[in-house]
């Protein structure tokens, strides 16, 4: 059990405005106030709010155990703060600086308050230091969690964005693939393409790999799987957009694309698809 | 239901799988189909699996065996209407059904069968 002494809390309460002022000054030294992403008023408001939460919580809570309910408000405040900092694009150091810059003003204050009693001073300093460190760690942890959420969401969005299935002609679907093919992406691509084949009743699907930077054995295997699945459904598959370097790699790796129809570019693939559907393209007279 | 009905359409046989296949059902179908092909000397078999949404390796192998035995009995086989999930499962299981003809739906499957039989 580590409750701050009443004298400490009284000292903080009495000097709250002075403490706040020097904290904000400290924040300014760390560069937190000269930033276009967040206004001085916002930082001051957050500092004031957090200081009052801190005073209330430490008056009746155990300073060594932040998981207790007395600290709930402080924790939630810090989580919200970290989340908004993460959204605004601040880094973790900047976010943690918000808490750590409170240390010096608090230490100065305690030094004045306990000038007569060095033993009490050291124990109170230690407790305050522990408390602020824990709060700082909590801030960083929530900051990281929010950042991870952002990254995860972007990954999902990227996955959705990068696999459009387009209809080129009646009965001809095309899938322009962009970026590296891994197992997860291939799965998504395969599913959406097969689903579209069922929906549209298309007999020919063209997979264009112009935007795929490298083809290794794994990518080739994924392609083969997709082609086989398409054939099982009763449609045909053409792979187009094989660049010369990629063709060389495929041959060097000794990959067997035997059963697959391949074309150099999308135009050739479309021409073949039209021919198979019994269509011809002619120039209009005149 | 203990057997899957086999319908006759001229010189073709039509098998529509409307229920979840279990192993015994597949074996019975294999028996029934081979008997029926022999009986009417069918020229083609069309298997519609559009209602089938769960497969395992056994059912996958049965499909390929049914197609193999029909070919020996001189009947072309076309499997139609495979669901995307089924196709992905079969590929992941390593069953590529290389000897089996496929088509998107019954209409296209019948067209394919007629062309095959005419070209013989």
């Amino acid at each position: 059990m580590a409750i701050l002494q009443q004298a400490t809390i009284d000292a903080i309460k009495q000097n709250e405005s002075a403490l706040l002022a020097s904290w904000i000054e400290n924040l300014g030294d760390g560069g937190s106030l000269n930033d276009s992403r967040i206004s001085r008023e916002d930082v001051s408001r957050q500092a004031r709010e957090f200081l009052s939460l801190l005073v209330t919580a430490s008056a009746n809570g155990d300073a060594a155990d932040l998981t207790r309910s007395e600290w709930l408000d402080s924790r939630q405040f810090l989580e919200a703060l970290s989340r908004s900092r993460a959204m605004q694009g601040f880094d973790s150091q900047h976010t943690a600086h918000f808490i750590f810059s409170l240390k010096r003003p608090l230490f100065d204050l305690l030094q004045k308050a306990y000038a007569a009693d060095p033993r009490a001073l050291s124990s109170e300093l230690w407790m305050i230091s522990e408390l602020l460190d824990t709060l700082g760690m909590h801030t960083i942890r929530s900051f990281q969690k929010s950042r991870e959420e952002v990254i995860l969401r972007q990954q999902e969005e990227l996955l959705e964005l990068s696999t459009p299935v387009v209809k080129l002609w009646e009965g001809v679907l095309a899938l322009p693939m962009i970026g590296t093919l891994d197992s997860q992406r291939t799965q998504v691509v395969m599913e959406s393409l097969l689903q579209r084949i069922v929906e549209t009743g298309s007999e020919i699907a063209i997979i264009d790999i112009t935007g795929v930077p490298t083809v290794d054995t794994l990518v080739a295997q994924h392609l083969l799987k997709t082609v086989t699945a398409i054939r099982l459904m009763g449609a045909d598959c053409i792979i187009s957009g094989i660049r010369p370097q990629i063709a060389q790699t495929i041959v060097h790796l000794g990959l067997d694309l035997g059963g697959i129809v391949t074309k150099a570019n999308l135009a050739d693939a479309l021409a073949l698809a039209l021919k198979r559907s019994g269509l011809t393209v002619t120039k209009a007279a005149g | 239901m203990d057997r899957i009905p086999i319908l006759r359409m001229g010189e073709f046989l039509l098998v529509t799988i409307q229920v979840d296949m279990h192993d015994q059902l597949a074996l019975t179908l294999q028996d029934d189909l081979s008997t029926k092909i022999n009986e009417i000397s069918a020229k083609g078999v069309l298997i519609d699996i559009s209602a089938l949404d769960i497969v395992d390796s056994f059912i996958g192998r049965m499909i390929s065996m049914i197609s193999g035995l029909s070919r020996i009995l001189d009947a072309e086989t076309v499997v139609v209407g495979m669901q995307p999930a089924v196709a992905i499962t079969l590929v992941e299981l390593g069953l590529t059904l290389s000897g089996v003809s496929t088509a998107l739906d019954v209409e296209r499957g019948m067209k394919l069968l007629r062309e095959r039989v005419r070209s013989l």
Side-chain angles (χ1 to χ4, degrees), chain A residues 187 190-191 194-195 197-198 201-203 225 228-229 231-234, chain B residues 82-84 87-88 90-92 95-98 100 102-104 108:
Chain A
Q187 189 76 15
M190 208 201 269
E191 274 169 25
L194 295 187
Q195 199 56 49
I197 289 176
V198 173
S202 304
E203 284 187 343
K225 271 189 188 170
T228 313
R231 199 192 62 81
L232 280 177
M233 305 248 317
Chain B
M82 191 181 290
Q83 294 295 323
I88 292 172
L90 288 181
V91 171
E92 293 296 339
L95 292 163
T96 53
L97 309 187
S98 45
V100 184
T102 50
L104 279 175
R108 290 184 172 108

Side-chain angles (χ1 to χ4, degrees), chain A residues 30 39 108 117 157 165 194 209 220 259 262 269 280:
Chain A
S39 68
D108 288 347
D117 188 356
E157 276 171 12
V165 182
L194 295 187
I209 57 166
T262 50
T280 45

Side-chain angles (χ1 to χ4, degrees), chain A residues 23 37 44 59 68 72 83-84 100-103 121 128 133 136 172 190 196 198-199 220 242 257 268 273-274 277 283:
Chain A
W23 184 15
R37 288 172 287 193
S44 316
R68 294 167 72 99
L72 185 70
R83 203 172 304 126
S84 76
F100 291 138
S101 57
L102 178 58
K103 258 192 187 180
L121 174 66
I128 286 273
D133 284 350
V172 183
M190 208 201 269
R196 287 280 285 162
V198 173
E199 282 165 15
I242 301 177
L257 296 184
D268 290 349
L274 290 177
S277 329
K283 205 170 183 176

Side-chain angles (χ1 to χ4, degrees), chain A residues 31-32 35-38 46 80-96 142-144 146-148 150-151 153-154:
Chain A
S32 299
D35 204 301
S36 59
R37 288 172 287 193
I38 190 159
Q46 284 166 345
L81 183 105
S82 315
R83 203 172 304 126
S84 76
R85 290 284 201 279
M87 293 294 170
Q88 283 161 335
F90 289 105
D91 59 7
S92 53
Q93 189 197 349
H94 187 114
T95 311
S142 2
F143 175 83
Q144 240 159 9
S146 348
R147 282 289 280 263
E148 272 160 24
V150 171
I151 293 173
R153 206 186 57 234
Q154 283 172 343

